[in-house]
Amino acid sequence: MMKFSKPGLFILLMGLPVMCQGQDNNWTQFRGSKLDGISNVTSVPLKWSDDSGIIWKTDIHGKGWSSPVIFSDQIWITTATDDGKEMYAVCLDFNSGKVLYDIKVFTPSDVQGKHSLNSYATPTPCIEKGFVYVHYGSSGTACINTTSGAIVWTRTDLKCKHVQGPGSSPVLYKNLLILHYEGTDVRFIIALDKKTGKTVWKKDRPEKPYEPLTVIGRKAYVTPLIINVKGRDMLISNGAAVCNAYDPSTGEEIWSLTGGAESTIAMPFSEKSIVYYYTGYMVDPAGTDYSDLMAINPEGKGDITATNVLWKKRSGRLQLLTPVIKDGLIYTVDSNNNLMCIEAATGKEVWTTRMRSNFNASPVIAAGHIYFFSVRGDVVVIKPGREMQIISQFQIQNPVWATPAFLRNSIILRTDKYLCKIN
C-alpha cells in the first residue's frame, strides 16, 4: 500500500539541488554523502574510553544496525523491537544528544524471520534538507519531514523473501530514491519518486544467472553504488549471482557480469572509474567456502563477464563490511579476521595482519587515518600506506555493528545499546 500526506509542503521544499546542499558538512547516506567511507574531518580522537572523550551518550531502545545519518543539527537512525513488530525512526540533536523525535513508522502484521546476527532495522536511512528516508526492507519504506516529524508517504507493497532479514540501504539520486530487493523469490531494483513515493522505474534482475543456484542462495543484501564513467552515471548493483550496471535515471541495463553464488552483503566501491566488489560465496571442489574480490572495467555493454575483469582475488567465505579505497590501495578486514591492504591495480596483498574478532562495521578514512570497529568493541586505527602501522588499538565496552559517521571533527558512534558523540 502507498500512502501520502502533506504533498504541498514536500513539493515546496523539494525545489532544492539534488543530493542535498552542503554535503561536506553533512553525512547523508550509508558510508557518507558520497557512499565512499571517506570523511573530510581534519581532527578526530585516536583513542577514547567509556569514561573519557565522550561528549554525550544516549540510550537507543530496541535493536538496529543502521548507521547514523546527519543533516544540519539532526542525527537520524532506525531501530525496531526484537520481534520485528514495531519499526521506529529516531532523531537526536547533534550537539546535545537529546531525542527530538521517536516515531513509530510501521507495525507490520506479517513479520519475516531473520538471522540471529541481523536486526529488523539494519538498512541505513538517507537524508537531505527537510526530509529523511527510512527503509526496513519488505516491512516498508517511508519519507519523514524532518521539521515536523510528520510521515509524508509510505510504501508497504514492495516485498521479497529476505530469509535472514533486511540489509540493503536506500540511495538518493536526483529526484529518485533507489532500493534493492533481492530475495529467494524475487529480485529487482526499484526507483521511487522521492516527493511522492510513486514508482518511476523497476528493473527485475536477469533470471538466467540464478538458475544454477539453490533457492536459499538467491538472496543478497547489497547497497548499490552510483559512479560516473566518461560522463555517464551508472548504478552498480551486485547481487548473489550477477553484477549489473544500470542507468539510474531510467533503469536501463548497461552491462552485466556473472559470478558468485549466495548472500552478497558488501556494497561495491570505486576509484578512478574502476569498480570493485565481492561476489557471493561459493564452494570449490575441495569443499572450501570462498568469495572473490573483483576489479572491473565498467566501460562496456551487454555481457562483459569474459572481457572486463581486470583481476580477481580469492577471499573468505562471506564479506560483510565494505572496504575503503584511497590512492590505489584497498583496506579491509575479511571474514577470516585478516586486516589487509591490497594493491588496487593488481589485487596483490601489500600487507596483512590477523585480528582477534569480526569486523562487520565498514571502515572509515578520517583525518589521515583509517578507523575499524569490531563486534567485540575493538577499535583499531591505522595509518594508510604500504607499511602496516597501527596507530591506536583499544576496546570499548559495547559491540559495534553500525558504521560510524565522522563529521565536524566528531565521531557519531552507534553501539548495540547507545548512540554517542566523541571529540
Side-chain angles (χ1 to χ4, degrees):
M1 175 185 289
M2 183 162 55
K3 296 181 180 178
F4 306 93
S5 62
K6 299 183 181 179
L9 175 61
F10 191 99
I11 292 170
L12 176 65
L13 291 175
M14 288 306 300
L16 298 166
V18 173
M19 294 295 287
C20 74
Q21 299 174 351
Q23 286 191 69
D24 287 347
N25 201 38
N26 299 296
W27 190 272
T28 60
Q29 304 191 90
F30 177 57
R31 301 179 67 237
S33 297
K34 298 179 181 178
L35 300 167
D36 61 2
I38 299 176
S39 170
N40 69 345
V41 297
T42 57
S43 177
V44 282
L46 294 172
K47 191 172 185 179
W48 61 92
S49 71
D50 295 281
D51 300 318
S52 64
I54 296 178
I55 305 303
W56 54 255
K57 180 190 293 186
T58 302
D59 290 340
I60 304 297
H61 65 88
K63 181 179 179 181
W65 303 151
S66 63
S67 300
V69 293
I70 304 162
F71 197 100
S72 187
D73 288 333
Q74 290 188 349
I75 306 169
W76 286 82
I77 56 172
T78 58
T79 189
T81 54
D82 283 341
D83 60 9
K85 293 183 178 180
E86 296 179 352
M87 311 287 179
Y88 292 84
V90 181
C91 174
L92 298 87
D93 180 76
F94 182 86
N95 298 303
S96 68
K98 178 183 177 181
V99 174
L100 303 177
Y101 299 113
D102 191 348
I103 303 163
K104 187 187 294 185
V105 185
F106 294 112
T107 55
S109 57
D110 182 19
V111 179
Q112 295 189 26
K114 66 170 183 62
H115 195 283
S116 60
L117 297 180
N118 202 4
S119 79
Y120 285 105
T122 293
T124 294
C126 44
I127 190 170
E128 60 186 354
K129 186 174 183 179
F131 303 96
V132 64
Y133 307 86
V134 293
H135 179 63
Y136 309 86
S138 292
S139 293
T141 305
C143 170
I144 300 171
N145 184 307
T146 58
T147 301
S148 66
I151 297 176
V152 179
W153 57 258
T154 64
R155 290 287 298 264
T156 56
D157 59 313
L158 302 172
K159 304 287 187 181
C160 75
K161 293 181 180 178
H162 297 295
V163 180
Q164 296 176 330
S168 303
S169 298
V171 170
L172 279 172
Y173 175 77
K174 296 183 178 180
N175 65 317
L176 303 176
L177 181 72
I178 298 175
L179 308 173
H180 171 129
Y181 287 82
E182 185 150 356
T184 57
D185 53 345
V186 294
R187 290 157 292 281
F188 60 90
I189 313 295
I190 189 166
L192 309 182
D193 185 322
K194 67 182 182 181
K195 298 189 294 292
T196 66
K198 292 182 178 180
T199 299
V200 176
W201 58 259
K202 178 175 177 285
K203 184 72 175 180
D204 292 332
R205 287 248 190 223
E207 284 296 321
K208 188 174 181 180
Y210 292 84
E211 290 174 356
L213 307 186
T214 62
V215 172
I216 192 65
R218 297 176 183 180
K219 63 191 185 305
Y221 308 92
V222 172
T223 301
L225 175 71
I226 295 175
I227 63 171
N228 187 275
V229 180
K230 292 190 172 180
R232 182 178 190 180
D233 288 343
M234 291 186 185
L235 173 73
I236 310 297
S237 181
N238 58 308
V242 61
C243 181
N244 299 99
Y246 301 99
D247 183 321
S249 295
T250 66
E252 174 196 358
E253 183 181 295
I254 302 170
W255 53 256
S256 65
L257 194 150
T258 301
E262 181 174 343
S263 299
T264 316
I265 298 172
M267 73 176 288
F269 56 102
S270 179
E271 187 178 58
K272 296 182 179 179
S273 295
I274 300 300
V275 173
Y276 306 87
Y277 71 92
Y278 282 92
T279 65
Y281 77 82
M282 299 165 281
V283 182
D284 67 15
T288 303
D289 294 339
Y290 72 99
S291 60
D292 283 327
L293 174 59
M294 311 275 284
I296 307 300
N297 175 3
E299 299 177 30
K301 196 168 181 64
D303 186 348
I304 64 170
T305 306
T307 58
N308 287 46
V309 177
L310 302 177
W311 54 259
K312 61 182 179 180
K313 173 181 169 55
R314 187 161 174 164
S315 187
R317 179 177 186 266
L318 188 64
Q319 183 73 23
L320 275 75
L321 67 80
T322 299
V324 288
I325 182 170
K326 179 71 172 175
D327 298 330
L329 296 175
I330 299 167
Y331 304 90
T332 190
V333 182
D334 69 13
S335 56
N336 295 320
N337 302 344
N338 294 308
L339 170 62
M340 64 179 66
C341 172
I342 301 167
E343 189 175 67
T346 63
K348 295 180 179 178
E349 286 185 23
V350 178
W351 51 257
T352 184
T353 187
R354 182 84 167 180
M355 296 286 101
R356 67 174 189 166
S357 63
N358 296 324
F359 287 72
N360 292 353
S362 297
V364 177
I365 297 177
H369 299 95
I370 308 176
Y371 288 72
F372 296 84
F373 299 81
S374 90
V375 298
R376 290 180 54 176
D378 295 318
V379 182
V380 179
V381 186
I382 69 169
K383 185 176 179 61
R386 289 182 170 272
E387 294 183 6
M388 171 58 179
Q389 297 184 59
I390 295 180
I391 303 300
S392 179
Q393 189 169 5
F394 57 99
Q395 187 173 27
I396 57 177
Q397 290 181 357
N398 292 84
V400 178
W401 295 81
T403 300
F406 286 70
L407 186 70
R408 304 169 203 161
N409 291 345
S410 299
I411 305 170
I412 304 299
L413 175 66
R414 183 180 192 173
T415 72
D416 65 330
K417 301 294 184 185
Y418 61 80
L419 190 75
C420 68
K421 179 181 178 181
I422 302 160
N423 66 9

